[in-house]
Amino acid sequence: MKTIHKITTLLLLFACQFAWAQQEEESQEGTKDFHVEFKPFTKPGADTTFAPFQISFVPYVGTNGINSGNVVNGVSFNVLGGYSAGTESFEAAGIFNINRGDMNGVQLAGLFNQVRGRVDGVQMAGLFNSNLDSVKGVQLAGLTNFTTGKVDGVQISGLANFSPKSVKGVQLAGLLNFSAQDLEGSQISGGLNFTAKEVKGSQVGLFNFAGKVKGFQLGLFNYADSMSGVPVGLISFVKSGYHTLEVSSNEVLPFNLAFRSGKREFYTMLFAGMRPEINRDVVWAFGYGVGSSPRITDRFFLNVEASSEQLNQGNVLALNLINKLYVGAEFQVAKKFAIFAGPTLNFRVYDDSYEFHPELFQYTQTKIRNQRYYPEDVASQMWWGFRAGFRFF
C-alpha cells in the first residue's frame, strides 16, 4: 500500500509540474492563456476540440495535456484515470473516467465512470457509474448505477440502480431498484423495487412498491395503489383492490379471524383462531392461505381457497398442520358486509410421537375418514368440515 501511495503522489506532482510548465511556455509565446480547471460537473464550452486518439496517465498528464477537459476523444486510454470533454467511440481506464460532456460508445473503468452529459452505449465499472443526464444502452456496475435522467435500456448492479425519472427497459440489482416516475419493462432485485408512478411490466423482489401496475408483482410483500394485473406474494396489498376482515367458525375452532388482501382474482390470507375456554393451555391456531373469488352475480361470489394452519395447545411444540381446501359461496348483504359458508376438505399432518396434541372436535360430531401412519413418526388424517361467518370492509 505504501508503494502505491508513493507512486500516486509522484504522478500527481508530475501532473502539476507538467501543467505549470506548459502554461508558462504558452504564456511566453504570447498564445492563448490556458488555465488548468478541474470541473467534472460542468458542461464543456465553445472552445471544445476533437482528438481521434489520446493516452494519459492521470488527468492533464497525457497527449492532450492541460487541454484534457476541453477535448472530445474518439479512442481514449487512461492508465490510471482520464478527464475529457466527452467520448465518441471507446474509453478505458485502470481506475476512473470523467467526461464533462456526452459518452457515445463503450466506457470501461476499474472503479468508476462519471459522465456529465448523455450516455449512449455501454458503461462498465468495478464500483459505480454516475451520469447527470439520460442513459440509452447498458450500465453494468459492481455496486451502483446512478443517473439523473431517463433510462432507456438495461441497468445491472450488485447493489442498486437509481433514476429520478422514467425507466424503459430492465433494472437488475442485488438490493434496490428505484424509479421516481414510470417503469416500462421489469425491475428485478434481491431486496426492494420501487416505482413511484406507473409500472407497465413486472416487479420481482422481496418487496415491491408501485403506484399503478399494468402487469404483475412477485414478492414477499407487494404494494400498489391500483392494479390491472395480479400480485403474487406472501402479503399483497392493493389500495383500490380487495381487502376484508373475516370472523368465522369451523368444526375445530369456534372463533377465527382472517385478513384477506390483494384482488378478487388472487388474494392472500393471514388468520388465527382459538377456543374461548378458561384453560391454562389455550387451544389456538395460526395460518396462511391463498384464494380467488370470481363474481357469479351482482351480489354472489364463489370462493376457492387453499390454506394451512398450525394447531397448538399452549406453546408450539410439535408438528400439527391442518391443510384445507375450501369452496363456498359469499353473499354481499351490503356494500361493506357479506355472509359466507361452504364445505372444506381437510388433510392433517402431525407428529405421532407427541402425546399432547389438542383434541380436534369438541363441539361437532365430525368423523375421521382416512388415517395413515408413515415412517419418522408422521401420521395423517382426512375429514370433511365447514366454514361459515361474516366479512367486513
Side-chain angles (χ1 to χ4, degrees):
M1 292 297 292
K2 289 183 178 179
T3 304
I4 295 173
H5 178 70
K6 287 180 180 179
I7 293 173
T8 305
T9 303
L10 288 172
L11 286 170
L12 290 173
L13 287 172
F14 177 70
C16 292
Q17 291 174 353
F18 180 83
W20 178 80
Q22 268 202 315
Q23 187 174 358
E24 284 295 314
E25 182 180 348
E26 290 166 350
S27 179
Q28 290 174 4
E29 293 176 356
T31 59
K32 186 177 180 180
D33 185 16
F34 290 97
H35 296 279
V36 179
E37 293 182 309
F38 184 66
K39 296 181 177 180
F41 302 113
T42 60
K43 291 185 177 181
D47 56 347
T48 299
T49 60
F50 176 78
F53 175 84
Q54 84 86 35
I55 185 169
S56 67
F57 289 94
V58 292
Y60 305 119
V61 182
T63 55
N64 289 335
I66 61 174
N67 289 320
S68 297
N70 294 318
V71 179
V72 176
N73 301 304
V75 176
S76 178
F77 291 97
N78 306 301
V79 177
L80 294 182
Y83 175 53
S84 70
T87 300
E88 285 298 327
S89 182
F90 177 84
E91 184 173 37
I95 297 179
F96 66 87
N97 295 305
I98 298 176
N99 288 189
R100 295 175 62 195
D102 301 336
M103 197 292 293
N104 300 304
V106 178
Q107 192 176 50
L108 311 174
L111 293 185
F112 70 89
N113 293 306
Q114 165 68 51
V115 176
R116 173 62 181 83
R118 297 185 304 274
V119 170
D120 188 352
V122 178
Q123 276 188 315
M124 297 177 65
L127 292 182
F128 67 88
N129 295 304
S130 174
N131 302 100
L132 303 184
D133 208 315
S134 61
V135 172
K136 184 177 182 180
V138 178
Q139 284 186 310
L140 178 63
L143 290 182
T144 304
N145 291 308
F146 173 90
T147 177
T148 62
K150 295 181 179 180
V151 175
D152 186 356
V154 179
Q155 287 184 313
I156 303 174
S157 71
L159 187 64
N161 296 307
F162 179 92
S163 173
K165 296 192 177 178
S166 62
V167 174
K168 184 178 181 181
V170 177
Q171 286 184 315
L172 177 63
L175 185 62
L176 168 68
N177 290 310
F178 180 94
S179 172
Q181 293 190 14
D182 299 331
L183 167 71
E184 185 176 347
S186 297
Q187 285 181 322
I188 303 170
S189 80
L192 170 67
N193 294 309
F194 180 96
T195 298
K197 295 185 179 179
E198 185 176 64
V199 172
K200 292 182 179 179
S202 61
Q203 290 181 312
V204 180
L206 291 179
F207 303 94
N208 299 306
F209 181 97
K212 183 178 181 180
V213 177
K214 294 181 178 179
F216 75 93
Q217 291 175 314
L218 175 63
L220 186 67
F221 176 81
N222 302 306
Y223 174 88
D225 290 336
S226 63
M227 179 171 288
S228 60
V230 175
V232 180
L234 181 65
I235 300 174
S236 297
F237 187 89
V238 180
K239 186 177 179 181
S240 61
Y242 175 65
H243 14 268
T244 65
L245 182 64
E246 173 185 297
V247 180
S248 68
S249 182
N250 60 50
E251 74 282 358
V252 177
L253 298 174
F255 180 73
N256 298 274
L257 283 176
F259 177 71
R260 285 166 168 72
S261 181
K263 299 189 67 179
R264 279 198 176 270
E265 292 85 351
F266 183 85
Y267 53 84
T268 59
M269 303 179 294
L270 294 174
F271 52 87
M274 63 174 293
R275 289 177 184 161
E277 303 167 341
I278 302 175
N279 199 323
R280 178 181 176 183
D281 295 324
V282 176
V283 176
W284 64 286
F286 64 93
Y288 173 81
V290 297
S292 180
S293 181
R295 183 187 295 271
I296 305 301
T297 66
D298 288 344
R299 293 195 174 190
F300 274 100
F301 296 87
L302 178 68
N303 298 148
V304 181
E305 298 173 353
S307 63
S308 185
E309 63 182 20
Q310 170 71 20
L311 183 66
N312 316 284
Q313 185 163 352
N315 296 326
V316 181
L317 298 175
L319 176 69
N320 193 21
L321 210 60
I322 300 177
N323 306 287
K324 294 177 180 286
L325 177 63
Y326 167 78
V327 179
E330 173 188 314
F331 178 71
Q332 199 78 31
V333 179
K335 184 177 181 181
K336 295 186 178 181
F337 179 74
I339 58 175
F340 69 94
T344 60
L345 176 62
N346 301 268
F347 181 72
R348 179 191 179 205
V349 179
Y350 62 98
D351 184 351
D352 186 49
S353 66
Y354 184 69
E355 299 179 358
F356 304 102
H357 290 301
E359 184 180 343
L360 289 177
F361 315 116
Q362 285 194 350
Y363 307 102
T364 62
Q365 300 295 321
T366 304
K367 293 183 179 181
I368 301 296
R369 300 294 180 181
N370 189 315
Q371 179 148 350
R372 293 185 179 182
Y373 299 92
Y374 307 94
E376 306 295 334
D377 297 321
V378 175
S380 68
Q381 297 173 329
M382 289 185 66
W383 69 88
W384 289 98
F386 73 94
R387 188 162 84 239
F390 308 95
R391 291 179 184 145
F392 304 91
F393 306 126

